[in-house]
Amino acid sequence: MLAVSVIIPAYNASRYLEECLDSFGKQTLKNMEAIVIDDGSTDNTWDICCQKSIEFPHIKCHHIKHSGVACAQETGLRFAEGEYIGFCGSDDYVAPQMYEKLYYEAKLRDADIVECQCCRFWSNGKKIKNDSQKYIYRLKRNNYNLKHSGAEEIITSIGYAWRIHKRSMIDKYNLNFSSKASNAEDYPWNICAPCLAKHFSVID
């Protein structure tokens, strides 16, 4: 079994996708895969996918009829072989040691979810570090019940793209993306997954 599978839905993502996939090519965790789901793009997204899958064999690409991000991520889940599952936006990129550090922490703590910090970059050059997950760590550390502590509001202020989730937890609770939702298709991941996790670990 692979250590980590990361699912990357992509739709007309040529502006950012090459930088995203290059960052996966530089990962220090070797026992992993990145699964790109081209959601029926009409630009050269698929050409970039094919090029990067040749350059980096652990990047695997699949093309589907345009069906929306939820369907693309569900498709990626069906292909994923990792012990832990991650998600990444096609306009995101990741630090070289990110998944190695997340996986090491997951195995060390036997964690269902491990999350790290992220930074948001704006077109005007502004950079914002997201520290919201520190609140989740504090709630967990103090044994508060995430379901009844107001943590839902905190969790929805962050994303799931810089987490890894234990596949056995996903299967146990049948976590999925709602393809029928016009928005908030990621609700199960932002809200339900942290509440269901027996151990939620946060690293810098």
Side-chain angles (χ1 to χ4, degrees), residues 8 10 13-27 34 36 44-45 48-49 51-52 55-56 58-59 88-96 99 119 121-122:
I8 308 168
S14 59
R15 182 179 176 185
Y16 302 106
L17 186 60
E18 187 168 0
E19 183 177 24
C20 172
L21 296 185
D22 280 342
S23 73
F24 277 89
K26 298 173 184 176
Q27 288 301 297
V36 188
N44 66 330
T45 290
I48 296 172
C49 290
Q51 174 191 338
K52 293 303 174 182
E55 190 174 350
F56 306 112
H58 64 284
I59 296 178
C88 184
S90 56
D91 59 346
D92 298 331
Y93 64 92
V94 294
Y99 289 104
C119 292
F121 297 89
W122 301 90

Side-chain angles (χ1 to χ4, degrees), residues 53 91 202:
S53 66
D91 59 346
V202 178

